[in-house]
Amino acid sequence: MHKTTIQPKRKAELQDLLKGFGREVVRKEVINVIMEVRQVPLKEAQNIKTIKPGEVVLILKRFDYELSE
């Protein structure tokens, strides 16, 4: 079984990937995940542009996005 390695993504890439959901919904969820995982305040989370692989996985799971294996 070949497991896909999740790469870091920019916020805009995640927005494109999850474009079936509202832009604002995706943005809020991304910011929430960053705040939880990195333990940073809202303002700092909003300024972060690159999402780490572990955060990408969490965000995609929250939207029931199927990760290809």
Side-chain angles (χ1 to χ4, degrees):
M1 182 191 318
H2 175 52
K3 185 94 172 145
T4 305
T5 305
I6 301 293
Q7 299 297 317
K9 294 200 180 304
R10 297 183 59 74
K11 282 182 182 171
E13 290 177 288
L14 275 173
Q15 295 259 341
D16 287 344
L17 203 56
L18 298 167
K19 65 180 160 222
F21 299 93
R23 251 183 119 60
E24 202 53 34
V25 173
V26 173
R27 193 179 80 80
K28 283 180 181 172
E29 205 55 53
V30 168
I31 289 170
N32 284 336
V33 168
I34 292 170
M35 285 170 45
E36 289 169 23
V37 173
R38 299 189 195 186
Q39 297 291 301
V40 295
L42 176 63
K43 280 284 183 212
E44 190 175 332
Q46 290 172 328
N47 290 330
I48 291 170
K49 301 287 183 248
T50 303
I51 315 304
K52 296 177 183 176
E55 296 163 345
V56 171
V57 170
L58 276 175
I59 292 162
L60 294 179
K61 281 183 180 173
R62 289 187 181 195
F63 287 97
D64 285 332
Y65 187 87
E66 285 296 314
L67 296 171
S68 57
E69 294 189 15

